[in-house]
Amino acid sequence: MSFNYASVASGSCGNCHYIEYKDTKILIDAGLSGKKVEENLRKLDKNLENAAGILITHEHTDHIKGAGILSRRYNIPIYANRNTWDCMIDKLGKLKEDNIKFFDNDIPFIIGDINIKAFPIHHDAADPVGYTLYNGNTKISVATDLGHVCDDIRRNLFESKLVVLESNHDVEMLKMGSYPYYLKQRVMSNKGHLSNEDAGKFCVELVKRGTQKILLAHLSKENNFPELAFETVKGVLKEKNISIGKNLELEVLRRGTISNLYAV
């Protein structure tokens, strides 16, 4: 059996990832309306009936907008660490007590057939995390909203066959764009977002440590576009003699729409 992964949406407009293995299906984040999540999943003939959980990375609206309604509609537990719960619980609406689930960072836990570990990342939120998911010998990972890549993030993502990795902005577009100065500084800070260039540099490390497929995610609408993200990362990889199609599959996740279903 393989993991199946699809991006339901990716970007500042909303983020949501669908993952299934055997009889277990989960979401990581639900940052768009419940209706839009359902519509996008239907395009892949998928649904949230008997879904086992919604895992939250952090409390920003583009990651939690639809979580409460989906939990109520399908009776889905929501999982987050305590600091994130403290910041988001008032934003989700009334939830069943049984659907409020806590985990501790860096301590593995199990949902259905999937082994999961949340690990800390660098972003301007209460206690943001990325996720690694395991089934037997296969690991996949989701890491967006990364201010920067540290050794702990490296240790968690290395040996993942598939990595969903932020490639948020082009630095020059951001500098020349319409964002106010404070927001530009926030995005480029160590608790902001990962640039195309930095994503490319980390992709080199990932490929050397076993990653076979990288999906570039969370692209900024104002300061990036898919072709630029792809070509920038491709160029960094080419400098290190890593070839797309030979050494790595590289794709860009689109804003607001469902991706292909990837089997890993």
Side-chain angles (χ1 to χ4, degrees):
M1 288 288 293
S2 300
F3 274 120
N4 285 324
Y5 166 86
S7 169
V8 182
S10 180
S12 54
C13 58
N15 298 275
C16 183
H17 311 270
Y18 174 84
I19 297 163
E20 63 181 14
Y21 175 62
K22 292 185 177 179
D23 295 324
T24 303
K25 49 189 175 183
I26 63 172
L27 295 180
I28 295 179
D29 289 334
L32 56 165
S33 71
K35 180 180 179 181
K36 187 64 175 177
V37 171
E38 293 168 331
E39 288 177 354
N40 284 359
L41 285 174
R42 278 198 294 269
K43 296 174 183 177
L44 291 179
D45 293 322
K46 301 295 181 181
N47 61 64
L48 294 176
E49 295 293 341
N50 301 312
I54 302 171
L55 308 177
I56 302 297
T57 59
H58 63 289
E59 71 275 9
H60 291 168
T61 302
D62 59 323
H63 295 263
I64 68 168
K65 180 179 179 180
I69 185 63
L70 291 173
S71 176
R72 288 186 289 276
R73 186 171 295 166
Y74 296 98
N75 193 31
I76 308 173
I78 299 175
Y79 291 77
N81 59 42
R82 188 167 296 276
N83 289 331
T84 298
W85 268 116
D86 288 346
C87 290
M88 74 175 181
I89 192 164
D90 290 340
K91 303 175 184 178
L92 298 182
K94 187 173 179 59
L95 300 172
K96 290 175 60 176
E97 193 70 28
D98 288 347
N99 284 336
I100 299 174
K101 302 290 187 181
F102 296 90
F103 60 71
D104 293 315
N105 295 352
D106 292 320
I107 297 179
F109 59 101
I110 298 173
I111 299 178
D113 301 300
I114 303 176
N115 295 286
I116 300 163
K117 188 173 81 164
F119 58 92
I121 60 173
H122 307 284
H123 192 54
D124 56 353
D127 196 0
V129 298
Y131 289 100
T132 57
L133 304 100
Y134 306 80
N135 66 20
N137 295 320
T138 301
K139 178 169 77 168
I140 67 174
S141 299
V142 175
T144 64
D145 298 80
L146 295 172
H148 67 282
V149 178
C150 65
D151 287 343
D152 186 58
I153 291 173
R154 289 183 173 92
R155 281 191 293 270
N156 279 285
L157 296 188
F158 284 164
E159 279 76 51
S160 299
K161 287 190 176 181
L162 178 147
V163 175
V164 179
L165 179 68
E166 178 170 58
S167 189
N168 177 257
H169 62 276
D170 175 81
V171 173
E172 292 307 313
M173 283 186 69
L174 177 62
K175 288 179 177 179
M176 299 299 292
S178 62
Y179 278 10
Y181 178 76
Y182 80 89
L183 187 53
K184 294 178 181 181
Q185 293 300 109
R186 170 192 175 255
V187 171
M188 290 189 292
S189 76
N190 281 345
K191 290 190 175 183
H193 292 279
L194 208 64
S195 70
N196 294 337
E197 187 76 19
D198 287 340
K201 293 175 182 177
F202 188 42
C203 285
V204 172
E205 297 184 56
L206 289 170
V207 173
K208 291 180 178 179
R209 295 296 296 269
T211 300
Q212 300 169 358
K213 185 186 295 289
I214 296 175
L215 307 177
L216 302 178
H218 209 303
L219 273 66
S220 168
K221 182 179 180 180
E222 292 80 9
N223 304 305
N224 208 354
F225 55 92
E227 294 79 9
L228 179 57
F230 183 89
E231 290 300 325
T232 301
V233 172
K234 178 182 176 182
V236 175
L237 291 166
K238 186 176 181 180
E239 290 177 359
K240 300 299 181 180
N241 297 313
I242 297 172
S243 175
I244 306 300
K246 180 181 179 181
N247 308 113
L248 172 72
E249 293 181 50
L250 179 71
E251 297 185 39
V252 179
L253 300 178
R254 303 288 171 148
R255 295 171 53 84
T257 188
I258 196 83
S259 72
N260 295 324
L261 190 67
Y262 300 93
V264 184

